[in-house]
Amino acid sequence: SQELEQSPQSLIVQEGKNLTINCTSSKTLYGLYWYKQKYGEGLIFLMMLQKGGEEKSHEKITAKLDEKKQQSSLHITASQPSHAGIYLCGADMNTGNQFYFGTGTSLTVIP
Amino acid sequence: DVKVTQSSRYLVKRTGEKVFLECVQDMDHENMFWYRQDPGLGLRLIYFSYDVKMKEKGDIPEGYSVSREKKERFSLILESASTNQTSMYLCATYEDRNEKLFFGSGTQLSVL
């Protein structure tokens, strides 16, 4: 969707390195979601952010939503091979619960 | 946990065939969605439904139709499959209480 821009498109990191994935919208977001997808499978919910400035963490993954609610980042600390997959940001654009998604970031973690 | 079940994991069909993709959820959610996922294009919304017999077009409804006769089942129909409909199809359901979108495991459709 053109509504959400996600970067980078792909990322290859050495195990143990930190990394950040960004998601940007030109519109105010009413809910920002992060999902992870193993290749060829469905999407697994990671986190949801709603308030400007909100930050949530789960294990080694931290997601933040900026004050304007137009940009979010997903940060992985000390990456592991189990973190490999496609990360997608999605957002409720307040159009009757229609959810739009970024194009995804493919993450490869080299042992 | 919410369960969203898509009937087929892989499907191979011929051009011109009528194709049914089934999605069933077990949590009485009202909102259900069909997306297709293609490399470089991400997820694109085909249709969604917010109640039984109610449906709304998403961004790319052409060549598709949907059916929601019962709350738990949302079907995507390809009236006459074409090769450009080869894709991964993902069904999702929305939980109002927790504001979460849950996905099925996807159907990889190949149209030859």
Side-chain angles (χ1 to χ4, degrees):
Chain A
S1 166
Q2 300 293 322
E3 311 278 359
L4 292 172
E5 295 287 334
Q6 201 171 326
S7 64
Q9 278 194 322
S10 64
L11 208 47
I12 302 173
V13 300
Q14 202 76 38
E15 183 177 358
K17 295 292 186 185
N18 302 337
L19 63 105
T20 300
I21 299 167
N22 294 301
C23 180
T24 304
S25 172
S26 57
K27 301 176 182 177
T28 300
L29 304 171
Y30 289 86
L32 189 287
Y33 298 75
W34 283 100
Y35 287 85
K36 180 185 174 185
Q37 184 182 29
K38 288 285 189 184
Y39 295 101
E41 297 182 9
L43 278 66
I44 305 297
F45 173 84
L46 292 175
M47 273 173 272
M48 192 261 280
L49 305 163
Q50 275 190 308
K51 300 174 187 173
E54 188 174 8
E55 180 175 320
K56 285 186 178 176
S57 292
H58 176 67
E59 298 179 346
K60 293 184 178 180
I61 302 176
T62 300
K64 299 178 187 179
L65 182 63
D66 75 335
E67 290 290 344
K68 286 186 179 178
K69 294 169 63 176
Q70 288 184 292
Q71 186 166 358
S72 178
S73 60
L74 185 84
H75 185 78
I76 298 177
T77 304
S79 57
Q80 300 168 355
S82 61
H83 287 128
I86 300 171
Y87 290 81
L88 293 110
C89 65
D92 179 358
M93 309 300 272
N94 200 32
T95 53
N97 285 336
Q98 286 190 52
F99 293 87
Y100 291 92
F101 288 85
T103 51
T105 296
S106 175
L107 173 63
T108 303
V109 180
I110 301 171
Chain B
D1 275 357
V2 174
K3 197 165 183 184
V4 183
T5 304
Q6 291 185 233
S7 54
S8 303
R9 191 74 183 82
Y10 299 96
L11 213 50
V12 180
K13 295 291 181 181
R14 297 230 173 256
T15 303
E17 277 192 78
K18 189 168 185 175
V19 182
F20 292 86
L21 301 182
E22 304 286 347
C23 177
V24 178
Q25 51 111 348
D26 66 352
M27 287 299 290
D28 204 37
H29 293 166
E30 291 179 344
N31 293 2
M32 296 185 74
F33 307 81
W34 274 108
Y35 291 88
R36 62 176 284 177
Q37 183 179 26
D38 301 285
L41 297 175
L43 272 72
R44 292 180 290 167
L45 182 64
I46 305 172
Y47 266 98
F48 67 102
S49 168
Y50 50 89
D51 204 349
V52 175
K53 296 192 188 292
M54 306 300 282
K55 59 188 178 185
E56 293 285 343
K57 293 180 181 178
D59 295 328
I60 51 162
E62 297 79 19
Y64 303 94
S65 62
V66 289
S67 170
R68 187 133 182 234
E69 296 296 319
K70 293 184 179 180
K71 199 172 189 179
E72 66 269 21
R73 186 180 297 269
F74 191 34
S75 304
L76 181 69
I77 303 158
L78 287 67
E79 296 291 341
S80 177
S82 62
T83 54
N84 62 15
Q85 291 178 310
T86 290
S87 186
M88 168 70 105
Y89 289 87
L90 291 157
C91 172
T93 179
Y94 180 69
E95 183 179 80
D96 276 320
R97 181 168 55 88
N98 291 318
E99 296 179 307
K100 281 186 185 178
L101 197 61
F102 293 92
F103 283 85
S105 53
T107 295
Q108 181 62 53
L109 172 68
S110 297
V111 182
L112 306 177

